[in-house]
Amino acid sequence: MTKLWGGRFKERTATDVEAYTQSISYDAALYAQDIRGSQAHARMLARQGVLTDEEAKQLVAGLDRIRSDIESGQFVWKPELEDVHMNIESRLTELVGDVGKKLHTGRSRNDQVALDFRLFVSDRLRVWRKLVVALVGVFLKRAREQQATLLPGCTHMQPAQPVSLAQHLLAYAWMFTRDAGRLADCERRVRISPLGAAALAGTTYPLDPASVAEELGMYGTFDNSMDAVSDRDFVIESLFCASTIMMHLSRFCEEIIYWANPSFGFVRLPDAYSTGSSIMPQKKNPDVAELMRGKVGRVYGDLTAMLTILKGLPLTYNRDLQEDKEPFLDADATVTASLSLMAGQLDALTFEAQRMHHALGLGFLNATELADYLVGKGIPFREAHHITGRAVALAEERGVRLEELPLADLDALCDRIGEDVYTVLNYDAAVARRNTSGGTGPVAVAAQMDKLERWLADNA
Ligand code: ARG
């Protein structure tokens, strides 16, 4: 077997070296992008008079045939041919004869692999973005159903103030809108064509990189050939986007996990998204949410791997860069599966409004209301805070809620408290009053939902 690069070699590559250096076991995933790129390159070579139109036609047709052979499972991948690029090129020459050997004119595997991977990554970023937008749609749908459901809003994981479940769910919807924005922004930098940079220094052939970029639907071409073949910061940014998506998913997973604990009982897990225990018959475990929370670790690992691979690499292409593919493929599989599973799980989740309402009474969540009420009666806020604290202590001592303290006892703490205090202590009223922009009040929540609806229409 002669390697495509074998001219100056006398001895064959050691078998374990072939196994160590090959990338075909994972970069075959880039076949469609490799073929698209090669076809655009061949057409450009013909436009520039480097190849004849007939030669370009033969190359394009041979590459079409290879694509359909790959897709029908007939293509034979050869590990000794190292990677996807040489597997396809060597098969092309078998199919179309010597003209196949002209495809690589004015091109190196260094700009070729950078092109293929940029196309691949940007194609995947578009897929992630669609999944993120779909998930925002599910958060919005569930929020619309839960405007009247109240639950304790927490700080420090301690009951703080009542909020609507809609407000809580919408907080996540907004996080994912930012993820979608990051993906779109990132994609503009990834989808830039490095073809024409050749090995590292550009080429002597009269290439037209801009027309290749345009044919491939890319946003532009490289500015510096050395940067073009050695840059992988586009992989780092993409993995950062994946990491942030996973981090957001895992925060909601954590809520699902503790909400499903019977001590809370705020949600009931759909059977399809939970599993049982082999020893404890009563168990219904939130495994999907737990695994998703756990898988954040591997995606952060993928990002860390890529940051580490690039650190200290001199210009230009170094074989280390071949290590860019597996972390990305791993993150891609994880983030796509997680996003679509979360959408399904959230859609099927049952919210237990009664349990949430019961929890409102457990942590003096209306204490701020009492303090604000006193301020309304002309008492300075610090003093109002202090009086309310004493009311909380009294209620706690008696094992009752604030609204269960008789007026006489409240009056003893501050004589400006009147019968109207009990309307203020009502939880629904507390939520209904918070209509400042972005707040949990129904008017403010409706405005958020309208804005999200418009965002979804713009990002469909
Ligand atoms: N499989 C290689 C990679 O992924 C392709 C580029 C190889 N270039 C080279 N000069 N050996 O990086």
Side-chain angles (χ1 to χ4, degrees):
M1 161 72 53
T2 343
K3 307 271 184 200
L4 294 188
W5 41 254
R8 61 106 75 203
F9 288 78
K10 293 200 191 74
E11 288 167 28
R12 55 157 300 146
T13 320
T15 323
D16 50 357
V17 171
E18 270 180 352
Y20 196 74
T21 55
Q22 67 81 30
S23 53
I24 190 61
S25 58
Y26 48 85
D27 70 10
L30 275 56
Y31 78 89
Q33 288 76 14
D34 193 69
I35 290 173
R36 250 153 77 200
S38 288
Q39 290 181 326
H41 182 64
R43 289 194 190 100
M44 179 274 292
L45 290 176
R47 279 196 301 278
Q48 299 301 105
V50 179
L51 296 183
T52 66
D53 286 344
E54 182 48 37
E55 287 173 327
K57 240 194 204 150
Q58 281 176 270
L59 292 172
V60 169
L63 288 163
D64 277 337
R65 158 88 194 271
I66 291 175
R67 185 196 291 110
S68 59
D69 284 353
I70 293 172
E71 285 169 2
S72 65
Q74 281 166 43
F75 191 88
V76 184
W77 297 103
K78 298 182 179 155
E80 62 276 16
L81 287 174
E82 230 176 273
D83 59 24
V84 63
H85 324 292
M86 292 195 292
N87 265 273
I88 291 177
E89 193 188 318
S90 118
R91 177 68 184 140
L92 182 65
T93 302
E94 278 173 24
L95 285 173
V96 302
D98 275 353
V99 61
K101 297 180 182 167
K102 295 191 177 183
L103 173 65
H104 213 48
T105 312
R107 190 175 72 167
S108 154
R109 263 191 303 156
N110 298 349
D111 56 346
Q112 182 180 4
V113 70
L115 173 76
D116 293 3
F117 203 35
R118 280 176 175 274
L119 283 172
F120 185 86
V121 170
S122 54
D123 287 349
R124 299 312 296 166
L125 293 180
R126 289 178 178 183
V127 172
W128 299 359
R129 195 165 179 286
K130 282 210 173 91
L131 292 169
V132 169
V133 172
L135 181 59
V136 170
V138 181
F139 271 107
L140 178 58
K141 175 187 163 221
R142 298 307 317 259
R144 284 207 186 284
E145 301 161 9
Q146 303 294 338
Q147 295 178 69
T149 308
L150 305 189
L151 79 163
C154 291
T155 63
H156 311 267
M157 238 339 252
Q158 299 298 315
Q161 289 176 342
V163 293
S164 76
L165 179 54
Q167 171 79 348
H168 192 117
L169 295 173
L170 291 172
Y172 285 96
W174 289 113
M175 293 178 215
F176 288 108
T177 65
R178 292 192 295 276
D179 286 327
R182 254 185 293 276
L183 290 171
D185 179 56
C186 176
E187 202 249 353
R188 296 202 68 81
R189 277 182 296 276
V190 179
R191 219 171 177 80
I192 295 293
S193 176
L195 211 64
L200 77 161
T203 167
T204 55
Y205 298 96
L207 304 187
D208 180 12
S211 71
V212 173
E214 201 183 314
E215 177 175 339
L216 293 171
M218 301 178 89
Y219 301 118
T221 59
F222 66 99
D223 291 305
N224 177 298
S225 61
M226 297 178 82
D227 181 33
V229 294
S230 66
D231 164 39
R232 293 293 183 277
D233 59 27
F234 73 90
V235 187
I236 292 178
E237 307 194 38
S238 304
L239 289 172
F240 173 76
C241 293
S243 298
T244 309
I245 291 169
M246 290 304 295
M247 175 275 292
H248 284 151
L249 287 172
S250 87
R251 294 186 71 175
F252 190 56
C253 286
E254 175 64 17
E255 312 246 42
I256 292 176
I257 292 163
Y258 81 81
W259 283 357
N261 179 303
S263 311
F264 280 86
F266 288 2
V267 291
R268 241 181 321 118
L269 294 169
D271 281 356
Y273 289 84
S274 22
T275 62
S277 156
S278 55
I279 177 169
M280 297 165 284
Q282 85 284 10
K283 295 270 276 183
K284 191 169 167 191
N285 297 328
D287 295 49
V288 172
E290 291 170 84
L291 269 170
M292 207 174 285
R293 187 178 57 180
K295 281 176 190 291
V296 181
R298 64 193 294 156
V299 177
Y300 287 4
D302 296 328
L303 172 61
T304 307
M306 214 43 231
L307 285 164
T308 313
I309 290 162
L310 284 206
K311 177 197 169 297
L313 263 198
L315 291 175
T316 54
Y317 179 85
N318 297 276
R319 193 61 180 271
D320 316 43
L321 294 178
Q322 179 167 293
E323 289 292 309
D324 60 356
K325 312 226 173 26
E326 285 177 293
F328 184 82
L329 292 169
D330 179 70
D332 178 36
T334 308
V335 87
T336 49
S338 302
L339 281 167
S340 70
L341 272 169
M342 180 56 92
Q345 173 170 255
L346 174 59
D347 203 38
L349 212 54
T350 309
F351 294 109
E352 299 287 3
Q354 288 301 325
R355 296 283 307 176
M356 292 184 184
H357 198 266
H358 172 75
L360 287 176
L362 301 179
F364 304 106
L365 282 109
N366 46 4
T368 313
E369 307 314 304
L370 178 55
D372 286 346
Y373 169 86
L374 292 170
V375 169
K377 301 278 175 186
I379 294 168
F381 182 76
R382 273 294 149 229
E383 207 175 310
H385 188 285
H386 190 75
I387 296 166
T388 306
R390 288 174 59 206
V392 167
L394 182 66
E396 196 164 42
E397 204 179 288
R398 296 198 190 154
V400 298
R401 304 175 182 189
L402 273 183
E403 62 273 30
E404 288 166 350
L405 287 174
L407 188 55
D409 289 319
L410 289 170
D411 259 343
L413 295 171
C414 173
D415 58 9
R416 294 204 213 162
I417 300 180
E419 190 61 46
D420 56 345
V421 75
Y422 294 106
T423 17
V424 163
L425 291 177
N426 175 280
Y427 301 102
D428 291 280
V431 169
R433 273 196 299 273
R434 286 183 163 67
N435 281 312
T436 46
S437 174
T440 189
V443 176
V445 166
Q448 280 184 62
M449 294 195 298
D450 287 348
K451 196 169 170 189
L452 270 175
E453 201 70 71
R454 286 197 298 278
W455 183 90
L456 279 172
D458 290 344
N459 287 274

